[in-house]
Amino acid sequence: MWILQNLLFILHTALSCVSGAAAVIHVFGYEGRDVDVSCSYDAGYDSYEKYLCKNNCGNADVLITTSQVKNNKYSIYDDNNKRVFTTTISDLSSVDAGKYWCGVSRTMLLDYYPAEVRLEVVPDSCCDQFTKIHSYEEGSVSISCYYKSEDQNNLKYICRGTQPSTCLQQALITSDRKQKGRFTLTDDRGSGKFTVTITSLTQKDSGTYLCGVHRKTGLDVFSAVELEVSPQDSRTVTSTITMTSTITMEPVRSQSTHTPSKHTKDAVHFTILFYTLPAILAGLLILAVFLMCAFKGKCNKVQGAEVRMNRHITQTPEAEEMMSVANIYENPEDVRSSKQQRTCHNDDKQAEIETSVYQSLSVTEDIYSVCQQL
């Protein structure tokens, strides 16, 4: 019995192809969505039962008939006026892709298959690549969408999100309505581009947009745009940072082409003088103090030598003895007077030496104090 059904099906399809009655319908659907498969039939079959089947259309391959109306994920409706019956397949998945047949039952005759259906199921998401656009609050932005020359006369639109299946139903604006609220659409067919302008931007406008071109057969064509809307205050900060970086970089760029001005030279000279002058003065002062200390030390050494020499001369035993003997014999009174004068003279010399040493010590202490302050 199963073999007989397959033979009859092959015969039916062969006769349909020869007569030219069978047509191939390409249907596309998105995963998780619904798709309609519409089949037209000839006049005289209005009251006949219609059905949709898969593969070889055996009894197990019939998915739904017009007498059932609904069967699981399938539903069917027959429009006798248009002579078109439509089958809806809900909640599509990849296993639903494949070949189907539109069939019309005929009593005592072979069934009539007006069309072959080829269903393709694709993911309901777009796209792998995005065009990124940036703007600011209270401003405006223009989104450019390109299309092929064969789509010049087709409907263009834009929507939010990444689901192509609902994009047209949720379109923000379409090419048959050029203005809608904050959105404006202009179509430049010469360059194959339509542009959508959004005004009075807010941060809520940030997100993904799909540019869509509707096609009468097959799936619509889409391209994706990622829009980022930043706060207005961040624009001021960005401008400030840009100005600062420009000013900072300007001298670097002009080093090889620009001669420094007189003010720049003066500033450099002043800076060098400001930092080096104190060091020079400090060095000179230290040198002066060192020379003064050396000079004073030399003078003290000379004076000390003279004192020691005088003491040595006056304290020589031989000289004192000879002078004493001569004075004793010549004038004893003069000897006593001479001794008194010599004693006073020696006392005066000693006082002078002590005064000189005291002054030298005082100057040395003053110089040492100055050195500590420096």
Side-chain angles (χ1 to χ4, degrees):
M1 184 67 181
W2 179 80
I3 297 175
L4 180 61
Q5 288 179 344
N6 285 338
L7 291 175
L8 291 174
F9 173 75
I10 293 172
L11 180 61
H12 294 170
T13 54
L15 292 174
S16 298
C17 291
V18 171
S19 62
V24 178
I25 303 174
H26 294 275
V27 180
F28 301 87
Y30 294 101
E31 290 181 349
R33 300 294 175 176
D34 301 344
V35 67
D36 292 332
V37 179
S38 297
C39 305
S40 58
Y41 51 87
D42 294 336
Y45 295 103
D46 299 349
S47 59
Y48 285 68
E49 184 181 56
K50 289 85 176 179
Y51 58 91
L52 183 70
C53 62
K54 197 174 183 179
N55 299 326
N56 293 330
C57 280
N59 290 335
D61 296 326
V62 176
L63 303 173
I64 191 172
T65 65
T66 52
S67 60
Q68 293 176 303
V69 181
K70 186 173 180 61
N71 182 21
N72 296 325
K73 61 186 300 182
Y74 304 96
S75 59
I76 193 169
Y77 170 74
D78 185 11
D79 188 346
N80 297 128
N81 295 326
K82 295 181 178 180
R83 294 197 298 272
V84 174
F85 72 94
T86 302
T87 303
T88 301
I89 307 175
S90 303
D91 192 19
L92 285 173
S93 64
S94 57
V95 298
D96 293 319
K99 184 168 64 174
Y100 295 79
W101 291 91
C102 301
V104 178
S105 297
R106 294 188 297 187
T107 305
M108 303 301 294
L109 294 173
L110 297 177
D111 287 354
Y112 165 47
Y113 298 96
E116 175 188 343
V117 179
R118 295 178 183 175
L119 175 61
E120 182 178 348
V121 180
V122 298
D124 188 16
S125 62
C126 183
C127 299
D128 294 335
Q129 296 180 348
F130 293 82
T131 300
K132 293 186 177 181
I133 301 176
H134 181 263
S135 190
Y136 295 91
E137 284 185 319
E138 301 178 6
S140 62
V141 66
S142 294
I143 300 174
S144 297
C145 309
Y146 294 87
Y147 56 86
K148 295 182 179 180
S149 57
E150 57 264 29
D151 295 321
Q152 285 185 354
N153 299 323
N154 294 347
L155 182 72
K156 289 91 176 177
Y157 56 94
I158 192 170
C159 68
R160 295 197 64 168
T162 60
Q163 289 186 320
S165 62
T166 59
C167 190
L168 181 56
Q169 291 79 7
Q170 300 175 359
L172 300 170
I173 190 172
T174 60
S175 57
D176 56 0
R177 185 177 179 181
K178 304 295 184 180
Q179 180 75 36
K180 184 179 180 182
R182 298 183 297 123
F183 299 88
T184 303
L185 191 152
T186 57
D187 187 8
D188 185 359
R189 297 184 178 182
S191 60
K193 177 183 70 175
F194 72 93
T195 303
V196 177
T197 302
I198 310 174
T199 58
S200 302
L201 288 170
T202 66
Q203 286 188 278
K204 293 181 179 180
D205 293 319
S206 298
T208 305
Y209 293 78
L210 292 183
C211 301
V213 178
H214 181 64
R215 287 182 172 177
K216 296 179 180 179
T217 58
L219 296 174
D220 291 357
V221 182
F222 297 95
S223 59
V225 175
E226 185 73 24
L227 174 62
E228 180 183 358
V229 181
S230 299
Q232 186 68 25
D233 54 356
S234 65
R235 184 173 190 172
T236 305
V237 172
T238 303
S239 301
T240 304
I241 294 174
T242 303
M243 290 178 61
T244 304
S245 62
T246 302
I247 294 172
T248 304
M249 293 173 63
E250 183 61 28
V252 177
R253 291 198 304 266
S254 62
Q255 282 182 351
S256 59
T257 58
H258 180 65
T259 303
S261 63
K262 183 177 180 298
H263 298 288
T264 304
K265 291 181 178 180
D266 293 341
V268 173
H269 293 164
F270 175 77
T271 302
I272 295 173
L273 186 62
F274 178 79
Y275 285 103
T276 57
L277 183 59
I280 295 173
L281 292 177
L284 292 174
L285 183 58
I286 293 171
L287 180 61
V289 171
F290 176 78
L291 293 175
M292 291 175 63
C293 293
F295 178 76
K296 288 294 182 179
K298 184 177 182 181
C299 292
N300 292 336
K301 289 180 180 180
V302 172
Q303 291 178 357
E306 291 177 354
V307 171
R308 288 193 297 273
M309 186 180 293
N310 291 334
R311 286 180 177 177
H312 180 72
I313 294 172
T314 56
Q315 293 176 2
T316 303
E318 294 81 0
E320 287 183 354
E321 183 178 357
M322 291 176 66
M323 291 178 67
S324 298
V325 172
N327 289 333
I328 290 172
Y329 288 100
E330 290 179 359
N331 192 355
E333 296 293 332
D334 292 339
V335 171
R336 288 192 295 268
S337 177
S338 176
K339 285 183 178 181
Q340 292 176 355
Q341 290 178 358
R342 188 167 59 249
T343 301
C344 293
H345 178 73
N346 290 336
D347 293 339
D348 293 338
K349 285 289 184 177
Q350 184 67 24
E352 184 179 353
I353 290 170
E354 291 176 356
T355 302
S356 176
V357 171
Y358 176 77
Q359 290 177 352
S360 178
L361 290 173
S362 299
V363 172
T364 303
E365 290 175 357
D366 293 340
I367 293 171
Y368 180 75
S369 177
V370 171
C371 294
Q372 283 185 336
Q373 291 178 0
L374 293 175

